[in-house]
Amino acid sequence: MKHFNIFGKYFFFGFILLFISGCDTIQDLIISEPPSEMDAVPLRVTMIYPSDCVGSAAYCTAFHIGVKGAEEELGIILTEVNGIENDPVATEMLLRDAAQNSELVLTAGYQMGEVLARVAPEFPDAKFAIFDVVLDIPNVVSVNYKSNEGAFLVGSIAGLKTESGKIGYIGGADVPLLQEFEAGYVAGIHTVNPEAEVTVEYISKDA
């Protein structure tokens, strides 16, 4: 797991540095001479997870590794908060509190999209970033990736390794993000093994 930890840590370092470099409040702190300890202003960052998922979901664990690394090496003031699953009202309150107490609020997951879309416009001076959701809001950066391409490679491996010619895909929830994984996975299988039989099921039919 060492390679996973290093990836999560430095991916998040790079993202935070890239994101805050565009913030006016942070640009004001960039001067030609290194600031003294008295002059340095640590960046206050809140990471809001979609649920109590650190340790039980790989992507939540990757975010946790990254923000803890940023706390240690970049000197940010970090607060980590678990969103309340299936309670958007309570999660909305957590986002509002974070926006009032942090310069940068990070979150992730399709569960957080609608909630953040309501909260972010209320706090134009706060900066937000969300993974896996695209929001066209001035103070929100959306971080996305081509999940279907990675899934295509895994599907290709499955297509090459199967001995029965029968392959399954199980998604957590039948939502657009996981449908992208499904599309890439199935395409990868059929590219290398056109005769393979693919069965697709989802644990939940909605978010």
Side-chain angles (χ1 to χ4, degrees):
M1 294 296 288
K2 184 177 180 181
H3 65 284
F4 171 79
N5 291 347
I6 292 173
F7 170 78
K9 177 178 178 180
Y10 288 102
F11 171 79
F12 224 94
F13 285 173
F15 167 72
I16 290 175
L17 288 172
L18 180 64
F19 181 61
I20 66 176
S21 67
C23 302
D24 292 339
T25 55
I26 302 303
Q27 287 289 351
D28 292 341
L29 301 177
I30 300 176
I31 55 179
S32 56
E33 295 295 329
S36 66
E37 291 186 9
M38 294 295 292
D39 294 332
V41 180
L43 184 72
R44 293 175 299 170
V45 178
T46 297
M47 176 72 215
I48 300 183
Y49 301 98
S51 62
D52 184 11
C53 56
V54 175
S56 61
Y59 74 104
C60 289
T61 303
F63 294 139
H64 172 70
I65 293 168
V67 294
K68 293 301 289 185
E71 180 182 39
E72 179 180 345
E73 297 192 22
L74 301 179
I76 66 171
I77 297 175
L78 175 64
T79 302
E80 293 181 277
V81 179
N82 290 325
I84 301 174
E85 197 166 12
N86 301 320
D87 193 340
V89 174
T91 301
E92 195 169 314
M93 293 175 62
L94 294 174
L95 270 169
R96 286 196 173 93
D97 182 66
Q100 295 176 71
N101 295 285
S102 303
E103 286 89 25
L104 176 60
V105 180
L106 306 172
T107 191
Y110 62 85
Q111 308 96 318
M112 302 296 292
E114 292 184 7
V115 181
L116 183 58
R118 292 193 294 270
V119 172
E122 299 176 15
F123 301 92
D125 293 332
K127 304 293 184 182
F128 299 87
I130 185 167
F131 288 74
D132 295 334
V133 178
V134 176
L135 297 178
D136 186 15
I137 301 173
N139 59 332
V140 177
V141 166
S142 297
V143 182
N144 232 333
Y145 52 92
K146 296 179 179 179
S147 52
N148 58 310
E149 292 186 356
F152 180 95
L153 296 176
V154 178
S156 299
I157 294 170
L160 292 171
K161 296 292 287 184
T162 181
E163 296 179 0
S164 67
K166 297 181 179 181
I167 303 171
Y169 172 86
I170 301 176
D174 192 2
V175 296
L177 175 63
L178 296 187
Q179 290 163 6
E180 289 183 26
F181 279 97
E182 175 198 334
Y185 184 70
V186 173
I189 292 169
H190 285 156
T191 296
V192 301
N193 191 342
E195 303 303 318
E197 178 184 337
V198 183
T199 302
V200 175
E201 294 289 347
Y202 285 91
I203 295 171
S204 174
K205 296 303 179 183
D206 56 44

